[in-house]
Protein backbone atom coordinates (compact mmCIF):
# COMPACT_ATOMS: atom_id res chain seq x y z
CA UNK A 1 0.00 0.00 0.00
CA UNK A 2 1.80 3.03 -1.23
CA UNK A 3 1.47 6.78 -1.33
CA UNK A 4 3.29 9.71 -3.07
CA UNK A 5 4.66 13.03 -1.48
CA UNK A 6 5.73 16.67 -2.22
CA UNK A 7 7.02 18.79 -5.12
CA UNK A 8 4.16 20.65 -6.65
CA UNK A 9 3.66 23.28 -9.20
CA UNK A 10 1.37 25.90 -7.71
CA UNK A 11 -0.35 28.83 -9.34
CA UNK A 12 -1.00 31.71 -6.95
CA UNK A 13 -4.41 33.25 -7.42
CA UNK A 14 -5.45 36.40 -5.62
CA UNK A 15 -9.19 36.25 -5.23
CA UNK A 16 -11.27 38.93 -3.65
CA UNK A 17 -13.92 37.11 -1.67
CA UNK A 18 -16.79 39.33 -0.61
CA UNK A 19 -19.28 36.67 0.38
CA UNK A 20 -21.99 37.02 2.99
CA UNK A 21 -20.86 40.13 4.76
CA UNK A 22 -17.10 39.69 4.44
CA UNK A 23 -15.03 41.88 2.16
CA UNK A 24 -11.43 41.00 3.01
CA UNK A 25 -9.25 39.71 0.19
CA UNK A 26 -7.84 36.19 0.14
CA UNK A 27 -4.73 34.94 -1.58
CA UNK A 28 -5.29 31.28 -2.36
CA UNK A 29 -3.06 28.70 -4.01
CA UNK A 30 -4.85 25.84 -5.73
CA UNK A 31 -3.30 22.42 -5.30
CA UNK A 32 -1.95 21.07 -8.59
CA UNK A 33 0.41 18.53 -10.13
CA UNK A 34 0.28 15.95 -7.38
CA UNK A 35 1.79 13.04 -9.30
CA UNK A 36 5.23 13.75 -7.84
CA UNK A 37 4.13 13.51 -4.20
CA UNK A 38 6.17 10.66 -2.61
CA UNK A 39 4.62 7.59 -1.00
CA UNK A 40 3.76 7.69 2.69
CA UNK A 41 5.31 4.75 4.50
CA UNK A 42 4.22 5.42 8.10
CA UNK A 43 0.84 3.92 9.05
CA UNK A 44 -1.81 6.33 10.28
CA UNK A 45 -2.52 6.48 13.99
CA UNK A 46 -6.11 6.02 15.16
CA UNK A 47 -6.41 9.77 15.73
CA UNK A 48 -5.22 10.42 12.17
CA UNK A 49 -7.64 7.82 10.78
CA UNK A 50 -10.52 9.58 12.51
CA UNK A 51 -9.62 12.78 10.70
CA UNK A 52 -8.12 11.63 7.42
CA UNK A 53 -10.91 12.90 5.11
CA UNK A 54 -10.13 16.43 6.32
CA UNK A 55 -6.38 16.10 5.69
CA UNK A 56 -4.41 17.74 2.91
CA UNK A 57 -2.57 15.65 0.35
CA UNK A 58 0.41 17.98 0.10
CA UNK A 59 0.97 18.41 3.82
CA UNK A 60 -0.08 14.98 5.05
CA UNK A 61 0.44 12.75 1.97
CA UNK A 62 -3.07 11.45 2.64
CA UNK A 63 -5.75 11.93 -0.06
CA UNK A 64 -8.20 13.88 2.07
CA UNK A 65 -10.30 16.83 0.87
CA UNK A 66 -8.19 19.62 2.46
CA UNK A 67 -11.11 20.52 4.74
CA UNK A 68 -8.95 21.78 7.59
CA UNK A 69 -6.88 23.83 5.15
CA UNK A 70 -10.04 25.38 3.70
CA UNK A 71 -11.33 26.42 7.12
CA UNK A 72 -7.96 27.76 8.27
CA UNK A 73 -7.01 29.65 5.13
CA UNK A 74 -10.25 30.51 3.31
CA UNK A 75 -13.28 30.36 5.60
CA UNK A 76 -11.62 31.70 8.75
CA UNK A 77 -14.29 33.86 10.43
CA UNK A 78 -16.44 34.45 7.37
CA UNK A 79 -20.14 33.92 7.75
CA UNK A 80 -22.26 31.99 5.29
CA UNK A 81 -25.97 31.48 4.84
CA UNK A 82 -27.75 28.43 6.24
CA UNK A 83 -28.15 25.53 3.80
CA UNK A 84 -30.64 22.71 4.28
CA UNK A 85 -29.26 19.28 3.33
CA UNK A 86 -31.75 16.46 2.86
CA UNK A 87 -30.45 13.08 4.01
CA UNK A 88 -32.57 10.47 2.24
CA UNK A 89 -31.57 7.33 4.07
CA UNK A 90 -32.46 4.74 6.70
CA UNK A 91 -33.24 7.24 9.45
CA UNK A 92 -31.32 9.66 11.66
CA UNK A 93 -30.95 9.64 15.44
CA UNK A 94 -32.13 13.23 15.97
CA UNK A 95 -31.29 13.07 19.69
CA UNK A 96 -27.60 12.42 19.03
CA UNK A 97 -25.33 14.79 20.95
CA UNK A 98 -23.47 15.81 17.77
CA UNK A 99 -26.57 16.21 15.56
CA UNK A 100 -29.38 17.62 17.71
CA UNK A 101 -28.18 21.21 17.22
CA UNK A 102 -27.88 20.97 13.43
CA UNK A 103 -31.36 19.65 12.58
CA UNK A 104 -33.78 21.29 10.21
CA UNK A 105 -36.99 22.30 11.96
CA UNK A 106 -40.05 22.88 9.80
CA UNK A 107 -41.02 26.52 10.42
CA UNK A 108 -44.61 25.88 9.36
CA UNK A 109 -45.29 22.97 11.69
CA UNK A 110 -46.27 23.00 15.37
CA UNK A 111 -44.73 19.98 17.04
CA UNK A 112 -47.02 17.34 18.52
CA UNK A 113 -50.41 18.91 17.83
CA UNK A 114 -51.50 16.20 15.40
CA UNK A 115 -52.33 18.79 12.73
CA UNK A 116 -50.86 19.36 9.28
CA UNK A 117 -50.18 23.03 10.04
CA UNK A 118 -48.38 23.83 6.78
CA UNK A 119 -50.85 21.86 4.63
CA UNK A 120 -48.14 19.87 2.86
CA UNK A 121 -49.91 16.56 3.48
CA UNK A 122 -47.63 15.41 6.30
CA UNK A 123 -48.74 15.76 9.93
CA UNK A 124 -46.13 17.01 12.43
CA UNK A 125 -43.23 16.66 10.00
CA UNK A 126 -41.04 18.72 12.33
CA UNK A 127 -37.60 17.39 11.30
CA UNK A 128 -38.52 15.55 8.10
CA UNK A 129 -40.65 12.54 7.17
CA UNK A 130 -40.52 8.75 7.44
CA UNK A 131 -41.92 7.23 4.25
CA UNK A 132 -41.52 3.62 5.42
CA UNK A 133 -43.09 3.81 8.87
CA UNK A 134 -42.07 0.92 11.13
CA UNK A 135 -40.54 -1.13 8.31
CA UNK A 136 -36.97 -2.23 8.99
CA UNK A 137 -36.35 -5.34 6.88
CA UNK A 138 -37.40 -5.57 3.23
CA UNK A 139 -37.09 -7.78 0.16
CA UNK A 140 -34.58 -7.29 -2.59
CA UNK A 141 -36.21 -5.80 -5.68
CA UNK A 142 -35.65 -8.97 -7.69
CA UNK A 143 -37.54 -10.95 -5.02
CA UNK A 144 -40.49 -8.59 -5.38
CA UNK A 145 -40.30 -9.04 -9.18
CA UNK A 146 -40.33 -12.84 -8.81
CA UNK A 147 -43.33 -12.71 -6.46
CA UNK A 148 -45.18 -10.48 -8.91
CA UNK A 149 -44.59 -12.59 -12.02
CA UNK A 150 -44.26 -16.12 -10.61
CA UNK A 151 -47.98 -17.00 -10.81
CA UNK A 152 -47.96 -16.01 -14.47
CA UNK A 153 -44.66 -17.45 -15.70
CA UNK A 154 -43.60 -20.30 -13.40
CA UNK A 155 -42.88 -23.48 -15.34
CA UNK A 156 -43.34 -21.88 -18.74
CA UNK A 157 -40.81 -21.99 -21.58
CA UNK A 158 -39.80 -18.96 -23.59
CA UNK A 159 -41.48 -20.33 -26.71
CA UNK A 160 -44.84 -20.42 -24.93
CA UNK A 161 -44.74 -16.73 -23.97
CA UNK A 162 -46.79 -14.28 -26.03
CA UNK A 163 -45.10 -11.34 -27.72
CA UNK A 164 -46.86 -8.94 -25.34
CA UNK A 165 -45.38 -10.73 -22.28
CA UNK A 166 -41.85 -11.34 -23.49
CA UNK A 167 -40.34 -8.23 -21.88
CA UNK A 168 -41.85 -9.11 -18.49
CA UNK A 169 -40.76 -12.73 -18.89
CA UNK A 170 -37.18 -11.66 -19.61
CA UNK A 171 -37.18 -9.52 -16.44
CA UNK A 172 -38.61 -12.45 -14.46
CA UNK A 173 -35.92 -14.82 -15.76
CA UNK A 174 -33.14 -12.35 -14.97
CA UNK A 175 -34.52 -11.76 -11.47
CA UNK A 176 -34.79 -15.51 -10.83
CA UNK A 177 -31.18 -16.08 -11.92
CA UNK A 178 -30.00 -13.27 -9.65
CA UNK A 179 -32.02 -14.63 -6.74
CA UNK A 180 -30.66 -18.16 -7.11
CA UNK A 181 -27.07 -16.92 -7.37
CA UNK A 182 -27.29 -14.57 -4.37
CA UNK A 183 -29.26 -17.00 -2.20
CA UNK A 184 -26.68 -19.72 -2.84
CA UNK A 185 -23.74 -17.43 -2.03
CA UNK A 186 -25.31 -16.14 1.19
CA UNK A 187 -26.23 -19.66 2.33
CA UNK A 188 -22.72 -20.93 1.60
CA UNK A 189 -21.09 -18.04 3.48
CA UNK A 190 -23.37 -18.58 6.47
CA UNK A 191 -22.44 -22.27 6.61
CA UNK A 192 -18.74 -21.43 6.29
CA UNK A 193 -18.90 -18.94 9.17
CA UNK A 194 -20.78 -21.46 11.33
CA UNK A 195 -18.13 -24.11 10.64
CA UNK A 196 -15.31 -21.72 11.56
CA UNK A 197 -17.00 -20.76 14.83
CA UNK A 198 -17.66 -24.42 15.66
CA UNK A 199 -13.91 -25.07 15.42
CA UNK A 200 -12.66 -21.77 16.79
CA UNK A 201 -14.66 -21.61 20.05
CA UNK A 202 -13.33 -24.83 21.66
CA UNK A 203 -9.85 -24.13 20.32
CA UNK A 204 -9.87 -20.65 21.86
CA UNK A 205 -11.25 -21.94 25.16
CA UNK A 206 -8.54 -24.60 25.44
CA UNK A 207 -5.65 -22.21 24.77
CA UNK A 208 -7.16 -19.43 26.88
CA UNK A 209 -7.35 -21.86 29.80
CA UNK A 210 -3.73 -22.94 29.25
CA UNK A 211 -2.49 -19.31 29.11
CA UNK A 212 -4.80 -18.08 31.87
CA UNK A 213 -6.22 -15.25 29.77
CA UNK A 214 -8.64 -14.65 26.90
CA UNK A 215 -6.82 -11.72 25.33
CA UNK A 216 -3.61 -13.39 24.24
CA UNK A 217 -1.29 -12.35 21.42
CA UNK A 218 0.69 -14.06 18.67
CA UNK A 219 3.74 -13.74 20.92
CA UNK A 220 1.92 -15.54 23.72
CA UNK A 221 1.09 -18.38 21.35
CA UNK A 222 4.71 -18.60 20.18
CA UNK A 223 5.93 -18.82 23.79
CA UNK A 224 3.94 -22.00 24.59
CA UNK A 225 6.56 -24.62 25.50
CA UNK A 226 6.51 -28.14 24.12
CA UNK A 227 3.02 -28.02 22.62
CA UNK A 228 1.35 -31.36 21.88
CA UNK A 229 0.39 -32.16 18.29
CA UNK A 230 -3.20 -31.11 19.07
CA UNK A 231 -1.97 -27.85 20.61
CA UNK A 232 0.24 -27.21 17.58
CA UNK A 233 -2.85 -27.43 15.40
CA UNK A 234 -4.75 -25.12 17.77
CA UNK A 235 -1.92 -22.58 17.88
CA UNK A 236 -1.68 -22.51 14.08
CA UNK A 237 -5.40 -21.83 13.76
CA UNK A 238 -5.42 -19.09 16.42
CA UNK A 239 -2.31 -17.48 14.97
CA UNK A 240 -4.09 -17.27 11.62
CA UNK A 241 -7.20 -15.75 13.22
CA UNK A 242 -5.09 -13.04 14.85
CA UNK A 243 -4.28 -11.75 11.37
CA UNK A 244 -7.87 -10.49 11.19
CA UNK A 245 -8.22 -8.75 14.57
CA UNK A 246 -6.29 -7.87 17.73
CA UNK A 247 -7.82 -10.72 19.72
CA UNK A 248 -9.67 -13.98 19.13
CA UNK A 249 -12.76 -12.75 21.04
CA UNK A 250 -12.94 -9.92 18.49
CA UNK A 251 -12.75 -12.45 15.65
CA UNK A 252 -15.57 -14.46 17.22
CA UNK A 253 -17.64 -11.32 17.61
CA UNK A 254 -17.15 -10.46 13.93
CA UNK A 255 -18.03 -14.00 12.84
CA UNK A 256 -21.20 -13.96 14.96
CA UNK A 257 -22.15 -10.57 13.50
CA UNK A 258 -21.58 -12.06 10.05
CA UNK A 259 -23.89 -14.97 10.77
CA UNK A 260 -26.57 -12.57 12.00
CA UNK A 261 -26.16 -10.54 8.81
CA UNK A 262 -26.51 -13.65 6.64
CA UNK A 263 -29.54 -14.82 8.64
CA UNK A 264 -31.23 -11.43 8.31
CA UNK A 265 -30.65 -11.47 4.57
CA UNK A 266 -32.04 -14.97 4.17
CA UNK A 267 -35.05 -14.34 6.41
CA UNK A 268 -35.92 -10.85 5.15
CA UNK A 269 -34.19 -9.85 1.92
CA UNK A 270 -34.80 -13.21 0.23
CA UNK A 271 -38.16 -14.10 1.79
CA UNK A 272 -40.80 -15.13 -0.74
CA UNK A 273 -43.60 -14.98 1.83
CA UNK A 274 -43.10 -11.85 3.95
CA UNK A 275 -45.04 -8.78 2.84
CA UNK A 276 -43.30 -5.95 4.67
CA UNK A 277 -45.13 -3.22 2.77
CA UNK A 278 -48.66 -4.09 3.89
CA UNK A 279 -48.30 -2.15 7.19
CA UNK A 280 -48.15 1.16 5.29
CA UNK A 281 -51.56 0.70 3.69
CA UNK A 282 -50.51 2.30 0.41
CA UNK A 283 -50.25 1.00 -3.14
CA UNK A 284 -46.51 0.96 -4.02
CA UNK A 285 -47.43 0.88 -7.73
CA UNK A 286 -49.44 4.12 -7.52
CA UNK A 287 -47.34 7.29 -7.26
CA UNK A 288 -50.44 9.40 -6.63
CA UNK A 289 -51.17 7.47 -3.41
CA UNK A 290 -48.64 9.69 -1.66
CA UNK A 291 -49.68 10.33 1.94
CA UNK A 292 -48.42 7.52 4.15
CA UNK A 293 -45.70 6.91 6.74
CA UNK A 294 -45.11 8.99 9.87
CA UNK A 295 -42.90 11.68 11.38
CA UNK A 296 -40.58 9.33 13.30
CA UNK A 297 -37.46 10.02 11.22
CA UNK A 298 -35.28 7.82 13.45
CA UNK A 299 -37.42 4.77 12.68
CA UNK A 300 -38.84 2.30 15.18
CA UNK A 301 -35.51 1.04 16.54
CA UNK A 302 -32.53 3.44 16.49
CA UNK A 303 -30.15 0.66 17.57
CA UNK A 304 -30.67 -1.34 14.39
CA UNK A 305 -27.83 -1.50 11.89
CA UNK A 306 -29.76 0.17 9.08
CA UNK A 307 -30.61 3.24 11.21
CA UNK A 308 -26.90 3.49 11.99
CA UNK A 309 -26.30 4.11 8.29
CA UNK A 310 -28.36 7.31 8.05
CA UNK A 311 -27.01 8.66 11.34
CA UNK A 312 -23.45 8.11 10.13
CA UNK A 313 -24.17 9.86 6.82
CA UNK A 314 -25.71 12.86 8.61
CA UNK A 315 -22.68 13.18 10.89
CA UNK A 316 -20.21 13.14 8.01
CA UNK A 317 -22.03 16.07 6.46
CA UNK A 318 -22.81 18.21 9.46
CA UNK A 319 -21.89 16.89 12.93
CA UNK A 320 -21.57 20.04 15.02
CA UNK A 321 -18.09 21.51 14.60
CA UNK A 322 -15.87 22.49 17.53
CA UNK A 323 -18.32 21.53 20.26
CA UNK A 324 -15.67 19.51 22.08
CA UNK A 325 -17.35 16.14 21.56
CA UNK A 326 -17.37 13.40 18.96
CA UNK A 327 -16.26 14.63 15.56
CA UNK A 328 -16.55 17.57 13.18
CA UNK A 329 -18.76 17.32 10.12
CA UNK A 330 -17.50 18.69 6.81
CA UNK A 331 -19.90 21.64 6.74
CA UNK A 332 -20.97 24.41 9.05
CA UNK A 333 -24.08 26.55 8.43
CA UNK A 334 -26.01 23.36 7.67
CA UNK A 335 -29.34 22.01 8.82
CA UNK A 336 -30.02 18.28 8.31
CA UNK A 337 -33.47 17.33 7.03
CA UNK A 338 -34.03 13.63 7.76
CA UNK A 339 -36.09 11.75 5.18
CA UNK A 340 -36.43 8.05 5.96
CA UNK A 341 -37.03 5.99 2.82
CA UNK A 342 -34.37 3.24 2.80
CA UNK A 343 -35.05 -0.09 4.58
CA UNK A 344 -32.69 -2.96 5.29
CA UNK A 345 -33.21 -4.34 1.80
CA UNK A 346 -34.03 -2.65 -1.50
CA UNK A 347 -35.86 0.66 -1.40
CA UNK A 348 -39.11 1.22 -3.31
CA UNK A 349 -38.94 3.61 -6.27
CA UNK A 350 -42.09 5.33 -5.08
CA UNK A 351 -40.59 6.16 -1.67
CA UNK A 352 -37.43 7.57 -3.24
CA UNK A 353 -39.32 9.69 -5.77
CA UNK A 354 -41.58 11.14 -3.08
CA UNK A 355 -38.66 11.62 -0.66
CA UNK A 356 -36.78 13.69 -3.25
CA UNK A 357 -39.86 15.81 -3.91
CA UNK A 358 -40.54 16.24 -0.18
CA UNK A 359 -37.00 17.47 0.50
CA UNK A 360 -37.05 19.82 -2.49
CA UNK A 361 -40.45 21.27 -1.60
CA UNK A 362 -39.34 21.93 1.97
CA UNK A 363 -36.25 23.92 1.10
CA UNK A 364 -33.32 21.50 0.81
CA UNK A 365 -30.65 22.77 -1.60
CA UNK A 366 -28.44 19.64 -1.42
CA UNK A 367 -29.68 16.03 -1.20
CA UNK A 368 -27.57 13.00 -0.28
CA UNK A 369 -28.64 9.62 -1.68
CA UNK A 370 -26.40 6.88 -0.25
CA UNK A 371 -28.27 3.82 -1.52
CA UNK A 372 -28.81 1.91 -4.72
CA UNK A 373 -30.08 -1.23 -6.44
CA UNK A 374 -29.81 -2.96 -9.81
CA UNK A 375 -33.53 -3.32 -10.59
CA UNK A 376 -35.95 -0.39 -10.74
CA UNK A 377 -39.50 -1.17 -11.96
CA UNK A 378 -40.61 2.45 -11.66
CA UNK A 379 -37.35 4.19 -12.52
CA UNK A 380 -39.34 6.80 -14.48
CA UNK A 381 -40.83 8.12 -11.20
CA UNK A 382 -37.34 8.65 -9.80
CA UNK A 383 -36.10 10.21 -13.06
CA UNK A 384 -39.02 12.64 -12.93
CA UNK A 385 -38.12 13.51 -9.33
CA UNK A 386 -34.49 14.10 -10.30
CA UNK A 387 -35.62 16.42 -13.09
CA UNK A 388 -37.93 18.17 -10.61
CA UNK A 389 -35.00 18.73 -8.23
CA UNK A 390 -32.97 20.17 -11.09
CA UNK A 391 -35.82 22.52 -12.00
CA UNK A 392 -35.80 23.80 -8.41
CA UNK A 393 -32.00 24.29 -8.37
CA UNK A 394 -31.26 21.39 -6.00
CA UNK A 395 -28.05 19.36 -6.20
CA UNK A 396 -28.27 15.59 -5.64
CA UNK A 397 -25.08 13.85 -4.46
CA UNK A 398 -25.28 10.11 -5.03
CA UNK A 399 -23.23 7.07 -3.95
CA UNK A 400 -21.78 4.99 -6.81
CA UNK A 401 -22.20 1.62 -5.08
CA UNK A 402 -19.95 -1.01 -3.52
CA UNK A 403 -19.63 -3.95 -5.91
CA UNK A 404 -16.34 -3.02 -7.59
CA UNK A 405 -18.12 -2.73 -10.96
CA UNK A 406 -17.69 -0.54 -14.01
CA UNK A 407 -21.01 1.33 -14.06
CA UNK A 408 -20.58 2.00 -17.75
CA UNK A 409 -21.41 -1.69 -18.24
CA UNK A 410 -24.35 -2.06 -15.83
CA UNK A 411 -27.18 0.17 -14.63
CA UNK A 412 -27.44 0.94 -10.92
CA UNK A 413 -30.36 3.01 -9.63
CA UNK A 414 -30.80 5.86 -8.91
CA UNK A 415 -28.80 7.38 -11.74
CA UNK A 416 -29.11 10.25 -14.18
CA UNK A 417 -28.08 8.38 -17.32
CA UNK A 418 -30.08 5.59 -18.94
CA UNK A 419 -27.79 3.08 -20.68
CA UNK A 420 -24.99 5.65 -20.98
CA UNK A 421 -27.24 8.13 -22.77
CA UNK A 422 -26.92 11.91 -22.11
CA UNK A 423 -27.62 13.01 -18.53
CA UNK A 424 -31.25 13.77 -17.73
CA UNK A 425 -30.19 16.55 -15.32
CA UNK A 426 -27.08 18.66 -14.83
CA UNK A 427 -27.38 18.65 -11.03
CA UNK A 428 -26.87 14.95 -10.17
CA UNK A 429 -23.36 13.98 -9.02
CA UNK A 430 -22.24 10.36 -8.52
CA UNK A 431 -19.34 9.67 -6.15
CA UNK A 432 -16.87 6.77 -5.90
CA UNK A 433 -14.82 5.96 -2.80
CA UNK A 434 -11.14 6.60 -2.04
CA UNK A 435 -8.85 4.71 0.30
CA UNK A 436 -6.50 6.66 2.61
CA UNK A 437 -3.51 4.96 0.95
CA UNK A 438 -2.23 7.24 -1.82
CA UNK A 439 -0.83 5.19 -4.68
CA UNK A 440 -1.95 2.09 -6.57
CA UNK A 441 -4.53 1.30 -3.85
CA UNK A 442 -5.99 4.81 -3.90
CA UNK A 443 -9.44 3.56 -4.96
CA UNK A 444 -11.38 1.59 -2.36
CA UNK A 445 -11.40 -2.07 -3.36
CA UNK A 446 -15.21 -2.15 -3.17
CA UNK A 447 -15.95 1.06 -5.07
CA UNK A 448 -17.83 1.11 -8.35
CA UNK A 449 -16.31 3.32 -11.04
CA UNK A 450 -17.01 4.43 -14.61
CA UNK A 451 -15.74 7.01 -17.07
CA UNK A 452 -19.32 7.96 -17.98
CA UNK A 453 -21.41 7.17 -14.91
CA UNK A 454 -19.16 8.17 -11.97
CA UNK A 455 -18.33 11.87 -11.68
CA UNK A 456 -15.76 12.17 -8.87
CA UNK A 457 -14.10 10.29 -6.01
CA UNK A 458 -13.91 11.16 -2.29
CA UNK A 459 -12.86 9.51 1.01
CA UNK A 460 -14.86 6.36 1.75
CA UNK A 461 -12.66 3.91 3.70
CA UNK A 462 -12.63 3.87 7.53
CA UNK A 463 -14.74 6.98 8.00
CA UNK A 464 -15.32 7.99 11.63
CA UNK A 465 -18.73 9.52 12.30
CA UNK A 466 -21.88 9.53 14.41
CA UNK A 467 -23.86 6.37 15.17
CA UNK A 468 -27.04 6.01 17.26
CA UNK A 469 -27.26 6.62 21.01
CA UNK A 470 -24.37 9.12 21.19
CA UNK A 471 -21.81 6.70 19.80
CA UNK A 472 -19.26 6.94 16.97
CA UNK A 473 -17.85 4.28 14.64
CA UNK A 474 -15.70 3.67 11.60
CA UNK A 475 -17.85 2.68 8.62
CA UNK A 476 -16.96 2.52 4.96
CA UNK A 477 -18.52 2.50 1.53
CA UNK A 478 -19.41 4.89 -1.26
CA UNK A 479 -22.26 5.65 1.17
CA UNK A 480 -19.64 7.52 3.20
CA UNK A 481 -17.90 9.13 0.20
CA UNK A 482 -21.13 10.70 -1.02
CA UNK A 483 -21.85 12.73 2.17
CA UNK A 484 -18.24 13.91 2.24
CA UNK A 485 -18.97 15.57 -1.11
CA UNK A 486 -22.45 16.69 -0.03
CA UNK A 487 -20.75 18.55 2.82
CA UNK A 488 -18.43 20.35 0.40
CA UNK A 489 -21.38 21.17 -1.85
CA UNK A 490 -23.24 22.64 1.13
CA UNK A 491 -20.23 24.83 1.94
CA UNK A 492 -20.17 26.20 -1.62
CA UNK A 493 -23.91 26.88 -1.50
CA UNK A 494 -23.53 28.54 1.91
CA UNK A 495 -20.74 30.93 1.01
CA UNK A 496 -21.70 31.45 -2.65
CA UNK A 497 -25.53 31.29 -2.71
CA UNK A 498 -25.65 32.96 -6.13
CA UNK A 499 -24.18 29.84 -7.76
CA UNK A 500 -26.62 27.34 -9.25
CA UNK A 501 -26.74 23.61 -8.48
CA UNK A 502 -25.30 22.91 -11.94
CA UNK A 503 -22.43 25.31 -11.29
CA UNK A 504 -21.71 23.69 -7.93
CA UNK A 505 -21.56 20.28 -9.61
CA UNK A 506 -19.14 21.62 -12.22
CA UNK A 507 -16.96 23.19 -9.54
CA UNK A 508 -16.76 19.93 -7.60
CA UNK A 509 -15.67 18.13 -10.77
CA UNK A 510 -13.31 20.73 -12.21
CA UNK A 511 -11.54 21.80 -9.01
CA UNK A 512 -10.57 18.35 -7.76
CA UNK A 513 -7.12 16.80 -7.68
CA UNK A 514 -6.10 14.65 -10.62
CA UNK A 515 -3.49 11.91 -10.68
CA UNK A 516 -2.29 9.85 -13.63
CA UNK A 517 -1.04 6.83 -11.69
CA UNK A 518 -2.61 3.43 -12.34
CA UNK A 519 -4.95 2.21 -9.60
CA UNK A 520 -6.30 -1.23 -8.73
CA UNK A 521 -10.03 -1.61 -9.38
CA UNK A 522 -12.46 -3.95 -7.64
CA UNK A 523 -9.65 -5.26 -5.44
CA UNK A 524 -8.27 -7.24 -8.42
CA UNK A 525 -4.54 -6.64 -8.86
CA UNK A 526 -4.85 -7.63 -12.51
CA UNK A 527 -7.51 -4.96 -13.11
CA UNK A 528 -5.80 -1.58 -13.26
CA UNK A 529 -6.48 1.70 -14.99
CA UNK A 530 -5.25 5.26 -14.80
CA UNK A 531 -7.15 7.11 -12.09
CA UNK A 532 -7.89 9.83 -14.63
CA UNK A 533 -9.90 7.33 -16.70
CA UNK A 534 -12.28 5.87 -14.10
CA UNK A 535 -14.59 8.85 -13.63
CA UNK A 536 -15.96 11.63 -15.78
CA UNK A 537 -13.78 14.28 -14.12
CA UNK A 538 -10.82 12.01 -13.37
CA UNK A 539 -10.52 13.81 -10.03
CA UNK A 540 -10.91 13.55 -6.28
CA UNK A 541 -12.93 16.28 -4.58
CA UNK A 542 -10.96 18.97 -2.77
CA UNK A 543 -12.80 21.54 -0.66
CA UNK A 544 -9.94 24.04 -0.62
CA UNK A 545 -9.73 24.14 -4.41
CA UNK A 546 -13.51 24.11 -4.77
CA UNK A 547 -13.94 27.25 -2.68
CA UNK A 548 -11.27 29.05 -4.69
CA UNK A 549 -13.01 28.15 -7.94
CA UNK A 550 -16.43 29.04 -6.49
CA UNK A 551 -15.14 32.48 -5.55
CA UNK A 552 -13.90 33.10 -9.08
CA UNK A 553 -17.09 31.79 -10.67
CA UNK A 554 -19.33 33.82 -8.35
CA UNK A 555 -17.77 37.02 -9.70
Amino acid sequence: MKIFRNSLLAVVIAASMASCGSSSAIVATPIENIDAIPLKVVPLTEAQLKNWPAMDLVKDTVPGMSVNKAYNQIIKKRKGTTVIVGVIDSGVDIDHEDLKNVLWTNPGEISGNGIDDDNNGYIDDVHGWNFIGDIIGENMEYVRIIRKFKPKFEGKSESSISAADREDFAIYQKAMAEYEKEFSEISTNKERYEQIIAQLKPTHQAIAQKLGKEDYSKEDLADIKNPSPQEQHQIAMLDQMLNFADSVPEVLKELEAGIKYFNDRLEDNFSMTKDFRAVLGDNPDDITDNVYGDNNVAGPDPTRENVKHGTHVAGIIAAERHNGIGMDGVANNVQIMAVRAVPDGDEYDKDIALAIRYAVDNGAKVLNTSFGKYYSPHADWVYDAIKYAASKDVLIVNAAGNDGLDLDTVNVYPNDQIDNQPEIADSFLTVGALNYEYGSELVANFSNYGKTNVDVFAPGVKIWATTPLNTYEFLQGTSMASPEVAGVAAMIRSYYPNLTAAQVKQILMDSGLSVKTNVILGGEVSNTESFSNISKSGKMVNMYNALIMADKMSK
Side-chain angles (χ1 to χ4, degrees), residues 348-365:
Y348 274 83
D349 297 324
K350 174 183 171 181
D351 298 337
I352 299 308
L354 293 177
I356 291 172
R357 289 177 179 273
Y358 173 90
V360 170
D361 289 342
N362 284 280
K365 300 307 292 182

Side-chain angles (χ1 to χ4, degrees), residues 98-119:
D98 236 355
L99 295 173
K100 61 185 179 182
N101 294 328
V102 295
L103 297 175
W104 170 76
T105 299
N106 187 344
E109 202 70 26
I110 299 172
S111 177
N113 68 354
I115 299 171
D116 180 15
D117 300 290
D118 59 1
N119 296 312

Side-chain angles (χ1 to χ4, degrees), residues 71 75-76 78 80-83 317-318 321 329-335 487 490-491 494-495:
Y71 274 102
I75 299 301
K76 297 181 180 178
R78 297 168 188 273
T81 60
T82 299
V83 174
I317 297 168
R321 294 184 63 84
V330 173
N332 59 14
N333 300 327
V334 164
Q335 293 178 350
M491 289 296 286
S494 173
Y495 288 89

Side-chain angles (χ1 to χ4, degrees), residues 94 207 289 360 464 517:
I94 59 175
I207 295 299
D289 179 11
V360 170
W464 180 256
T517 190

Side-chain angles (χ1 to χ4, degrees), residues 27 76 103 115 146 216 268 295 409 475 491 505 512 527 530:
V27 176
K76 297 181 180 178
L103 297 175
I115 299 171
I146 292 169
Y216 47 80
D268 291 347
N295 69 342
T409 65
L475 296 180
M491 289 296 286
K505 173 183 176 178
N527 183 19
S530 170

